[in-house]
Amino acid sequence: MTSESGAASSSKDAAFATYMTEVKQIEKADAVLTPKQQIERLNRPGSTYFNLNPFDVLQVAPETPQSEIKSKYRKLSILVHPDKNPDDEERAKKAFDAVKKSWETLSNDKERTECLGVVEDAQNRLETKLKNLRKKLKKEGKTTEIPEDDPDVYAVELHKETCKLFADLALVRKEMEMREMNERKRQRQAEIELEEKSKMQKEWNKNYEESREGRISSWQDFKSGKTTKKRKAKPAKGFKPPKVKMEQR
């Protein structure tokens, strides 16, 4: 490993540690927020986007022990519960649902592992972007120093990248659910069409069997010469004009 790559790795670790420190500081600050402030936080502009990140909702670091996450969930759920905020019930419900959903996600081992993977992927993506940016600047003969070299700026960018990745994941899941729903509809429609076709076939078979005896009887009569003779039709009675007499001179 070169000294440059080693320095970059150390910088990366330091920046990520700063990010985690920032999260913990926010968590500590949020511990004294009032119900109104918590509801405001979880209903802020872009909350639909940010609330997809369960760590952001509960304001806990990814490596936070499960017991502490549970404790934080209980505190937040009490603070924003609609029954505790009757004057802002609608927004309180939205905040409470976000807190509850985040806890359900992080309390599930499989889903929490996926969330930790998202955080790691976000960090790798950001590092790749910054690496490519530095290469571009170096190629252009410019300084390779960038704003993200500042740990605070890096922490903000990592938070953005993490939230964006959670949003992308939610979109993919939604598209998959939509495809599965459409596939279920298609299969059901095919089943209905098959049932209708089968019903029509059974009806046809039933009618065919019911008329079979009559067809056999008619064929036997035809073979034995017992055909009914057609009566000669009588001319229809109608108005007869009088005979014309020749005039005599």
Side-chain angles (χ1 to χ4, degrees):
M1 181 181 291
T2 64
S3 58
E4 183 179 350
S5 61
S9 177
S10 298
S11 176
K12 173 182 174 181
D13 294 340
F16 187 69
T18 301
Y19 167 70
M20 292 307 173
T21 301
E22 290 275 332
V23 171
K24 290 180 179 179
Q25 289 175 348
I26 293 172
E27 178 185 2
K28 184 178 179 181
D30 279 352
V32 296
L33 288 180
T34 64
K36 182 178 180 180
Q37 289 171 317
Q38 287 287 7
I39 292 172
E40 190 66 37
R41 179 177 71 84
L42 295 169
N43 282 273
R44 66 193 186 279
S47 59
T48 301
Y49 170 78
F50 290 113
N51 289 353
L52 293 172
N53 181 349
F55 299 113
D56 191 74
V57 172
L58 298 179
Q59 292 294 284
V60 294
E63 76 277 10
T64 302
Q66 192 73 358
S67 59
E68 292 183 22
I69 295 177
K70 186 176 183 180
S71 177
K72 187 60 180 291
Y73 157 68
R74 286 177 174 173
K75 292 178 182 178
L76 287 176
S77 62
I78 292 173
L79 286 175
V80 302
H81 198 284
D83 292 346
K84 301 287 186 178
N85 300 275
D87 57 330
D88 198 5
E89 188 173 351
E90 185 176 346
R91 295 203 315 154
K93 185 179 185 307
K94 180 181 176 182
F96 178 80
D97 289 344
V99 170
K100 182 181 179 182
K101 184 177 180 181
S102 295
W103 162 245
E104 289 174 348
T105 298
L106 296 182
S107 63
N108 182 292
D109 291 339
K110 181 180 178 181
E111 293 186 17
R112 185 182 182 186
T113 300
E114 291 177 356
C115 290
L116 291 173
V118 171
V119 173
E120 185 178 354
D121 288 345
Q123 185 179 6
N124 291 335
R125 285 191 181 192
L126 180 58
E127 285 299 321
T128 300
K129 287 182 180 180
L130 299 182
K131 183 179 179 180
N132 291 336
L133 178 58
R134 290 189 183 96
K135 283 184 178 180
K136 180 181 178 183
L137 292 172
K138 185 176 181 180
K139 186 176 181 180
E140 294 174 351
K142 300 178 181 178
T143 178
T144 57
E145 293 182 1
I146 56 177
E148 287 78 8
D149 290 334
D150 184 333
D152 292 336
V153 176
Y154 181 91
V156 171
E157 292 304 314
L158 180 57
H159 178 261
K160 289 180 181 178
E161 192 68 33
T162 303
C163 289
K164 181 179 182 300
L165 205 53
F166 271 109
D168 291 343
L169 180 62
L171 182 61
V172 170
R173 285 176 175 172
K174 187 175 181 180
E175 289 176 349
M176 289 179 63
E177 290 174 359
M178 186 64 68
R179 285 199 296 268
E180 290 175 358
M181 183 180 69
N182 291 335
E183 178 61 20
R184 287 195 296 270
K185 285 183 178 180
R186 187 194 66 77
Q187 291 179 356
R188 181 53 186 157
Q189 184 62 34
E191 290 174 359
I192 292 174
E193 291 176 359
L194 186 61
E195 290 171 0
E196 289 294 328
K197 185 177 180 180
S198 177
K199 183 179 179 181
M200 291 176 64
Q201 185 64 43
K202 288 180 180 179
E203 189 69 24
W204 188 90
N205 291 341
K206 180 182 177 182
N207 293 337
Y208 181 85
E209 289 298 325
E210 289 177 349
S211 62
R212 183 179 180 183
E213 185 177 346
R215 292 196 309 276
I216 293 175
S217 177
S218 296
W219 173 247
Q220 289 175 344
D221 289 345
F222 174 78
K223 288 179 67 177
S224 62
K226 296 180 180 180
T227 55
T228 304
K229 294 183 178 180
K230 294 183 179 179
R231 294 183 179 181
K232 190 174 182 180
K234 295 182 180 180
K237 294 182 180 181
F239 173 76
K240 292 183 178 181
K243 293 182 179 181
V244 179
K245 294 183 179 181
M246 299 296 294
E247 183 181 355
Q248 295 181 355
R249 295 185 179 178

